[in-house]
Amino acid sequence: MPEGGGIDLSQEPAIYSPQRFAGQRVLITGAAQGIGLAVAHRIAYEDGSVFLVDRAELVHDVAKHLAEAGKGTIGSATADLEAFEGATAMMDAAIEALGGIDVAINVVGGTIWAKPFEEYAPEEIEKEVTRSLMTTLWSVRAELPHLINGGGGTIVNVSSVATRGINRVPYAASKGGVNALTAALALEAADKNVRVVATAPGGTLAPERAVKRGPGPESEQEKAWYQQIVDQTIDSSLFKRYGTLQEQAGPIAFLASREASYVTGSVLPVAGGDQG
């Protein structure tokens, strides 16, 4: 059976709400793997017309498998969202495929290195910020005019409870920026009928990534620093475990849906009780 990141795309999600996104055109970034893929799977089965974006060519396979499952209008594109030109190209492709968008879900980001702040080289700090803040900032800047011109819509950003986490200060600072972006833009965009919200996932179990974010821990010291992150993540959860991809996709889908029409400016922690 076709699978994407451990998810059988031909099978219904374990929990979903049929027709919740009927008539809605939904752009999802980071959709080839992990949380973004789980969100794409769920919203497609909730009858949304989805356009999937990722830097990995794998995103086209995900779109193909969802289309074969008969799940509405499915489009895809590769884009480098670390630059504004990539974000505008993404929007051009989405508009061509769907005619417009009603919802944008921005999932791109992730820790590249795991180590104490004094161990980061200046260029590593810049890469972390580019990956986990600028991708969302550029995406939102490209998405917003289309939502406003279309009469309104919803932006859902994916942040992290790691804003209070060890061994990844540049990533934490980046996700703090995503939280600030969400709150400030919600104030600006409300009178334009645009909602801006976010979730802040905690540690999430996912299959090994086909396209890795970074080199991964290699030395014994690097492995120890990474283990400190794992230990803190589990200890900070009231359930003492990592979450699942489905447990992250559900809150994102809710906030993106019309059920959350009176929610804006909020960042929802999804981390087993860890508030970040």
Side-chain angles (χ1 to χ4, degrees):
M1 290 183 290
E3 292 192 357
I7 296 173
D8 187 340
L9 300 173
S10 68
Q11 297 295 313
E12 297 177 352
I15 301 171
Y16 73 107
S17 301
Q19 298 189 332
R20 178 159 61 168
F21 284 91
Q24 295 282 285
R25 300 161 298 180
V26 184
L27 168 69
I28 306 165
T29 72
Q33 303 180 86
I35 292 173
L37 185 146
V39 171
H41 180 229
R42 179 151 183 167
I43 291 179
Y45 274 85
E46 294 187 348
D47 298 298
S49 294
V50 298
F51 190 82
L52 314 181
V53 179
D54 202 281
R55 64 191 174 110
E57 295 288 337
L58 181 61
V59 73
H60 300 306
D61 292 332
V62 174
K64 177 176 177 286
H65 290 324
L66 286 174
E68 287 173 349
K71 303 320 298 176
T73 301
I74 312 290
S76 60
T78 55
D80 176 8
L81 299 179
E82 294 184 4
F84 185 54
E85 293 78 11
T88 56
M90 167 187 76
M91 283 308 309
D92 290 343
I95 298 303
E96 182 178 354
L98 302 182
I101 63 167
D102 304 293
V103 178
I105 302 174
N106 300 305
V107 192
V108 176
T111 304
I112 303 173
W113 292 279
K115 52 189 173 181
F117 190 44
E118 66 270 18
E119 299 289 337
Y120 278 85
E123 61 270 19
E124 291 175 337
I125 294 171
E126 291 181 354
K127 288 180 180 178
E128 292 275 12
V129 173
T130 298
R131 174 71 56 81
S132 290
L133 173 59
M134 297 310 299
T135 49
T136 299
L137 201 66
W138 291 137
S139 294
V140 170
R141 175 60 182 82
E143 295 154 358
L144 185 62
H146 293 279
L147 291 169
I148 293 172
N149 292 338
T154 300
I155 294 171
V156 183
N157 298 320
V158 176
S159 179
S160 174
V161 294
T163 49
R164 291 178 60 86
I166 61 171
N167 293 350
R168 42 187 173 167
V169 166
Y171 173 73
S174 300
K175 289 303 189 178
V178 171
N179 292 347
L181 160 65
T182 299
L185 185 58
L187 289 171
E188 285 190 18
D191 64 356
K192 302 176 181 73
N193 197 34
V194 175
R195 294 191 303 116
V196 188
V197 291
T199 66
T204 304
L205 292 171
E208 185 176 354
R209 295 179 64 85
V211 179
K212 299 185 184 303
R213 293 192 179 109
E218 297 176 353
S219 70
E220 291 305 311
Q221 180 61 80
E222 289 172 338
K223 291 176 183 177
W225 286 331
Y226 185 80
Q227 187 61 45
Q228 288 173 354
I229 292 177
V230 173
D231 293 343
Q232 184 199 30
T233 298
I234 294 173
D235 190 55
S236 297
S237 165
L238 302 186
F239 296 129
K240 305 305 177 188
R241 66 171 176 86
Y242 272 42
T244 68
L245 291 174
Q246 291 73 21
E247 286 173 326
Q248 298 298 339
I252 292 170
F254 165 71
L255 287 175
S257 77
R258 288 166 288 195
E259 293 179 66
S261 59
Y262 199 52
V263 180
T264 196
S266 299
V267 178
L268 173 65
V270 187
D274 181 359
Q275 301 300 301

